[in-house]
Amino acid sequence: MSALKNIDIGIGPVGVAYGGIMNEVSEMIKGSKSFSAVYIEGRYGTGKTLVLRRAIYDIVSGENKKVYERVIPIYFFLGTRDFDPLVHLRIFIDDVKTYLDTGLVKPNVVGEKEDWEIRYKLLEDTWQRVQPKLDAEGSRQIESFFSFMRELNKSGYLPMLIFDEFERLIYTGDVLREERSRPLFVEFVKRYFELTRDIFIAGSSLLLLQRE
């Protein structure tokens, strides 16, 4: 983590993207808006994931972390398995627990251990309250996903949803190979557009897309 926080990220297109992300999150914290969607596109190796990971680090563990203490970045690597938001969410929560218990950190968890302790407890407690059913049909499972996010709101927190390698979903279809994943994606898209109009939850969503 120390290497990440020491990278100079304030110049060029990467700096612009970083500034844009931090500005959008700050606007939500101030109450200027309740939801923000940020789209980052670039060729392979241009720093999309780097700028995002640095923004997450500064939100969770940076020098101004107290400002962002009620923001919970939830990172989905869409290239690791077929599209299944609840399963991705459960994997993320388990990866945070592994980090806290063993110090072993996966790429989807960014920030210092001590800054994830309260966030992890809230994520796990919220999961137990919502009791999502991972084998539910498409519409019910997506509703559980959004119910989870609404519960975070009720607890006073803002979920920051990050979808990395989004091109595997909308361009190549690599993560829609299983029959189960397709209706889940359809239901998620139906809700996502309402989400961007502040109907379901308060929070932010970031989409990272690789351009060929």
Side-chain angles (χ1 to χ4, degrees):
M1 294 296 176
S2 59
L4 184 61
K5 69 181 179 181
N6 291 327
I7 294 174
D8 184 2
I9 206 164
I11 58 174
V14 170
V16 173
Y18 170 84
I21 293 170
M22 300 303 289
N23 181 66
E24 289 297 311
V25 176
S26 296
E27 289 294 308
M28 286 191 305
I29 291 172
K30 291 187 295 185
S32 302
K33 57 173 66 175
S34 59
F35 186 85
S36 175
V38 178
Y39 171 81
I40 302 175
E41 180 182 271
R43 297 185 184 280
Y44 179 81
T46 54
K48 301 180 301 300
T49 298
L50 172 63
V51 69
L52 182 56
R53 286 174 58 80
R54 175 55 188 271
I56 295 172
Y57 183 89
D58 286 348
I59 288 167
V60 174
S61 300
E63 60 182 16
N64 294 317
K65 65 181 182 181
K66 292 294 289 183
V67 174
Y68 305 105
E69 63 184 353
R70 291 193 170 271
V71 177
I72 303 183
I74 302 174
Y75 204 127
F76 302 116
F77 272 118
L78 296 180
T80 59
R81 60 177 300 122
D82 270 46
F83 185 74
D84 196 328
L86 273 184
V87 171
H88 280 290
L89 177 59
R90 185 64 251 179
I91 289 172
F92 176 78
I93 296 172
D94 290 342
D95 286 345
V96 175
K97 185 177 190 303
T98 297
Y99 182 34
L100 295 178
D101 289 347
T102 69
L104 297 175
V105 60
K106 298 286 185 69
N108 57 342
V109 184
V110 181
E112 305 300 333
K113 283 175 62 174
E114 61 269 21
D115 298 315
W116 275 104
E117 291 175 354
I118 293 175
R119 289 177 170 94
Y120 167 72
K121 185 177 187 307
L122 180 67
L123 289 168
E124 189 59 61
D125 288 350
T126 302
W127 183 274
Q128 297 304 323
R129 284 201 307 276
V130 174
Q131 293 280 313
K133 292 182 170 51
L134 296 176
D135 59 347
E137 62 183 17
S139 59
R140 290 178 58 198
Q141 185 173 156
I142 297 303
E143 175 54 36
S144 292
F145 180 82
F146 283 110
S147 292
F148 183 95
M149 302 306 160
R150 285 194 295 269
E151 286 296 313
L152 293 183
N153 285 163
K154 290 176 184 178
S155 299
Y157 284 78
L158 295 170
M160 179 180 178
L161 307 179
I162 300 107
F163 299 93
D164 202 347
E165 298 191 357
F166 199 65
E167 73 279 359
R168 293 179 180 268
L169 189 59
I170 63 171
Y171 281 172
T172 67
D174 289 348
V175 295
L176 294 174
R177 291 176 179 173
E178 293 182 7
E179 185 175 345
R180 169 181 169 76
S181 65
R182 297 164 202 159
L184 287 173
F185 178 55
V186 170
E187 290 297 328
F188 183 82
V189 169
K190 288 179 183 177
R191 308 300 290 272
Y192 184 80
F193 289 114
E194 295 180 62
L195 172 66
T196 61
R197 295 194 292 271
D198 308 341
I199 293 174
F200 287 125
I201 65 171
S204 64
S205 175
L206 290 96
L207 311 176
L208 273 73
L209 181 70
Q210 179 178 319
R211 186 173 66 241
E212 298 298 332

